[in-house]
Amino acid sequence: MDASHFLMFLVQRLIKALGVVIGVVILAFFLVRLAPGDPALVIAGQSGAADAQFLAQLRQQFGLDKSLGTQLLIYLKGIATLDFGYSHRVQRTVGSLIAERLPATILLTATAFIFAVSVGVTLGVLAARRVGTWADSLITVIALTCYATPLFWVGLIFILVFSIWLNWLPAIGMYSIGEDLHGLAFAWDVAQYLVLPSLTLGLFFMALYARLTRASMLEVATQDFVRTARAKGLKEGPIVRRHILRNALLPVIGFAGVQAGTIVGGSVLVETVFAWPGVGRLAFEALLARDYNLLLGVFIVTSAMAVVINLITDVIYALVDPRIEVGA
């Protein structure tokens, strides 16, 4: 791949990604601001006072008395300096709250993503290599079951079976409270809490990867270049690895980038079920309390994460598939 073309491709993708993030910020700002309910009334209710003078003071303090256009410009200026505003509910900056919860969400979603891709692709390859056999049927049934089962139901069943009946794994939280653990002991403690929520979040996407990989493998296996490789007398193992699997993984890589935003969104439900202290649960709490600044900040940060992951996926896709015109 030519270095100058690749650099041009990267710059174009960065500009597009920045445009998408700015569009998301503007859209999210108007959606949250136009939602029913007066933030000043909520703040006043939490403070125990709601007279007209106090409401006017709150609106002036948080800039709610200005026009929406002015509020948007002020907010965009703050975002440019990574200032996401102030959460009146917990009396802290939105940036510090998100920074505190974001590592937990990254750990959960990254673990679920790795599990979904590795297990899903493996099952898809096995099903395609044994198409029409009992192994293919079993993998198909498992994938369809995981795909059709709601996340919250899977989470509750996992808690019931593995935490309450078998007492193998902890049900809620991220680590054992009250135990002064450090180093490997702390990592092992977190790993045990991570098993059930990451499995719950990853099973649905594992099913998608398994089905997509199986279908892609079967389609590529019928292509002319694969028949030519077999006609030349190449062994089946190298044909599968070098010709079928490599090409079959291209749509899987593309899907992984699209799916990244979905898995972050799915973490909201899983974090709520397992009381996992991530940004998904933080967004749910902000929504219930009408903490608009916090809700807006979480939405923007998670959207930016999805855009960055899509950008990384585009780069990987261009590196894996030389047919892509990187300068286009």
PDB file of all heavy atoms in Angstrom, residues 55-67:
ATOM      1  N   LEU A  55     -36.211  30.271  40.607  1.00  0.00           N
ATOM      2  CA  LEU A  55     -36.191  29.661  39.276  1.00  0.00           C
ATOM      3  C   LEU A  55     -35.468  30.551  38.280  1.00  0.00           C
ATOM      4  O   LEU A  55     -34.680  30.063  37.446  1.00  0.00           O
ATOM      5  CB  LEU A  55     -37.632  29.404  38.805  1.00  0.00           C
ATOM      6  CG  LEU A  55     -38.366  28.242  39.482  1.00  0.00           C
ATOM      7  CD1 LEU A  55     -39.818  28.203  39.018  1.00  0.00           C
ATOM      8  CD2 LEU A  55     -37.682  26.923  39.158  1.00  0.00           C
ATOM      9  N   ALA A  56     -35.725  31.868  38.347  1.00  0.00           N
ATOM     10  CA  ALA A  56     -35.051  32.800  37.439  1.00  0.00           C
ATOM     11  C   ALA A  56     -33.546  32.804  37.687  1.00  0.00           C
ATOM     12  O   ALA A  56     -32.744  32.856  36.735  1.00  0.00           O
ATOM     13  CB  ALA A  56     -35.633  34.202  37.619  1.00  0.00           C
ATOM     14  N   GLN A  57     -33.167  32.712  38.956  1.00  0.00           N
ATOM     15  CA  GLN A  57     -31.734  32.678  39.304  1.00  0.00           C
ATOM     16  C   GLN A  57     -31.063  31.417  38.749  1.00  0.00           C
ATOM     17  O   GLN A  57     -29.953  31.476  38.221  1.00  0.00           O
ATOM     18  CB  GLN A  57     -31.589  32.729  40.828  1.00  0.00           C
ATOM     19  CG  GLN A  57     -30.137  32.713  41.293  1.00  0.00           C
ATOM     20  CD  GLN A  57     -30.031  32.659  42.804  1.00  0.00           C
ATOM     21  OE1 GLN A  57     -30.994  32.950  43.517  1.00  0.00           O
ATOM     22  NE2 GLN A  57     -28.879  32.271  43.303  1.00  0.00           N
ATOM     23  N   LEU A  58     -31.773  30.275  38.857  1.00  0.00           N
ATOM     24  CA  LEU A  58     -31.228  29.018  38.332  1.00  0.00           C
ATOM     25  C   LEU A  58     -31.080  29.075  36.815  1.00  0.00           C
ATOM     26  O   LEU A  58     -30.076  28.623  36.259  1.00  0.00           O
ATOM     27  CB  LEU A  58     -32.132  27.850  38.717  1.00  0.00           C
ATOM     28  CG  LEU A  58     -32.102  27.422  40.188  1.00  0.00           C
ATOM     29  CD1 LEU A  58     -33.129  26.332  40.452  1.00  0.00           C
ATOM     30  CD2 LEU A  58     -30.703  26.917  40.573  1.00  0.00           C
ATOM     31  N   ARG A  59     -32.102  29.611  36.144  1.00  0.00           N
ATOM     32  CA  ARG A  59     -32.043  29.689  34.674  1.00  0.00           C
ATOM     33  C   ARG A  59     -30.885  30.568  34.220  1.00  0.00           C
ATOM     34  O   ARG A  59     -30.206  30.273  33.232  1.00  0.00           O
ATOM     35  CB  ARG A  59     -33.370  30.229  34.129  1.00  0.00           C
ATOM     36  CG  ARG A  59     -34.529  29.237  34.280  1.00  0.00           C
ATOM     37  CD  ARG A  59     -35.742  29.660  33.459  1.00  0.00           C
ATOM     38  NE  ARG A  59     -36.816  28.700  33.579  1.00  0.00           N
ATOM     39  CZ  ARG A  59     -37.837  28.811  34.424  1.00  0.00           C
ATOM     40  NH1 ARG A  59     -37.919  29.877  35.205  1.00  0.00           N
ATOM     41  NH2 ARG A  59     -38.768  27.879  34.483  1.00  0.00           N
ATOM     42  N   GLN A  60     -30.653  31.663  34.968  1.00  0.00           N
ATOM     43  CA  GLN A  60     -29.534  32.547  34.624  1.00  0.00           C
ATOM     44  C   GLN A  60     -28.197  31.870  34.910  1.00  0.00           C
ATOM     45  O   GLN A  60     -27.254  31.965  34.125  1.00  0.00           O
ATOM     46  CB  GLN A  60     -29.649  33.845  35.422  1.00  0.00           C
ATOM     47  CG  GLN A  60     -28.559  34.858  35.060  1.00  0.00           C
ATOM     48  CD  GLN A  60     -28.682  36.135  35.868  1.00  0.00           C
ATOM     49  OE1 GLN A  60     -29.419  36.184  36.870  1.00  0.00           O
ATOM     50  NE2 GLN A  60     -27.991  37.172  35.444  1.00  0.00           N
ATOM     51  N   GLN A  61     -28.118  31.137  36.036  1.00  0.00           N
ATOM     52  CA  GLN A  61     -26.872  30.492  36.439  1.00  0.00           C
ATOM     53  C   GLN A  61     -26.439  29.413  35.432  1.00  0.00           C
ATOM     54  O   GLN A  61     -25.250  29.291  35.119  1.00  0.00           O
ATOM     55  CB  GLN A  61     -27.049  29.860  37.825  1.00  0.00           C
ATOM     56  CG  GLN A  61     -25.806  29.131  38.341  1.00  0.00           C
ATOM     57  CD  GLN A  61     -26.046  28.514  39.710  1.00  0.00           C
ATOM     58  OE1 GLN A  61     -27.096  28.747  40.345  1.00  0.00           O
ATOM     59  NE2 GLN A  61     -25.094  27.723  40.174  1.00  0.00           N
ATOM     60  N   PHE A  62     -27.417  28.640  34.924  1.00  0.00           N
ATOM     61  CA  PHE A  62     -27.095  27.543  34.004  1.00  0.00           C
ATOM     62  C   PHE A  62     -27.320  27.918  32.538  1.00  0.00           C
ATOM     63  O   PHE A  62     -27.288  27.049  31.661  1.00  0.00           O
ATOM     64  CB  PHE A  62     -27.920  26.297  34.348  1.00  0.00           C
ATOM     65  CG  PHE A  62     -27.565  25.715  35.689  1.00  0.00           C
ATOM     66  CD1 PHE A  62     -28.402  25.899  36.781  1.00  0.00           C
ATOM     67  CD2 PHE A  62     -26.388  25.011  35.865  1.00  0.00           C
ATOM     68  CE1 PHE A  62     -28.063  25.373  38.027  1.00  0.00           C
ATOM     69  CE2 PHE A  62     -26.044  24.489  37.099  1.00  0.00           C
ATOM     70  CZ  PHE A  62     -26.879  24.672  38.190  1.00  0.00           C
ATOM     71  N   GLY A  63     -27.565  29.218  32.276  1.00  0.00           N
ATOM     72  CA  GLY A  63     -27.702  29.671  30.896  1.00  0.00           C
ATOM     73  C   GLY A  63     -28.993  29.252  30.227  1.00  0.00           C
ATOM     74  O   GLY A  63     -29.107  29.316  29.000  1.00  0.00           O
ATOM     75  N   LEU A  64     -29.991  28.819  31.013  1.00  0.00           N
ATOM     76  CA  LEU A  64     -31.251  28.340  30.441  1.00  0.00           C
ATOM     77  C   LEU A  64     -32.153  29.488  30.001  1.00  0.00           C
ATOM     78  O   LEU A  64     -33.174  29.253  29.341  1.00  0.00           O
ATOM     79  CB  LEU A  64     -31.996  27.467  31.467  1.00  0.00           C
ATOM     80  CG  LEU A  64     -31.247  26.202  31.898  1.00  0.00           C
ATOM     81  CD1 LEU A  64     -31.984  25.503  33.034  1.00  0.00           C
ATOM     82  CD2 LEU A  64     -31.080  25.248  30.716  1.00  0.00           C
ATOM     83  N   ASP A  65     -31.809  30.729  30.371  1.00  0.00           N
ATOM     84  CA  ASP A  65     -32.624  31.867  29.972  1.00  0.00           C
ATOM     85  C   ASP A  65     -32.225  32.401  28.593  1.00  0.00           C
ATOM     86  O   ASP A  65     -32.867  33.295  28.061  1.00  0.00           O
ATOM     87  CB  ASP A  65     -32.498  33.003  31.009  1.00  0.00           C
ATOM     88  CG  ASP A  65     -31.046  33.425  31.201  1.00  0.00           C
ATOM     89  OD1 ASP A  65     -30.146  32.626  30.856  1.00  0.00           O
ATOM     90  OD2 ASP A  65     -30.807  34.545  31.678  1.00  0.00           O
ATOM     91  N   LYS A  66     -31.157  31.833  28.013  1.00  0.00           N
ATOM     92  CA  LYS A  66     -30.697  32.271  26.687  1.00  0.00           C
ATOM     93  C   LYS A  66     -31.401  31.469  25.602  1.00  0.00           C
ATOM     94  O   LYS A  66     -32.006  30.419  25.867  1.00  0.00           O
ATOM     95  CB  LYS A  66     -29.180  32.111  26.573  1.00  0.00           C
ATOM     96  CG  LYS A  66     -28.386  32.969  27.548  1.00  0.00           C
ATOM     97  CD  LYS A  66     -26.912  32.771  27.364  1.00  0.00           C
ATOM     98  CE  LYS A  66     -26.110  33.750  28.221  1.00  0.00           C
ATOM     99  NZ  LYS A  66     -26.373  33.615  29.666  1.00  0.00           N
ATOM    100  N   SER A  67     -31.294  31.954  24.366  1.00  0.00           N
ATOM    101  CA  SER A  67     -31.917  31.239  23.245  1.00  0.00           C
ATOM    102  C   SER A  67     -31.191  29.915  23.014  1.00  0.00           C
ATOM    103  O   SER A  67     -30.038  29.733  23.427  1.00  0.00           O
ATOM    104  CB  SER A  67     -31.848  32.094  21.981  1.00  0.00           C
ATOM    105  OG  SER A  67     -30.498  32.243  21.574  1.00  0.00           O
TER     106      SER A  67
END
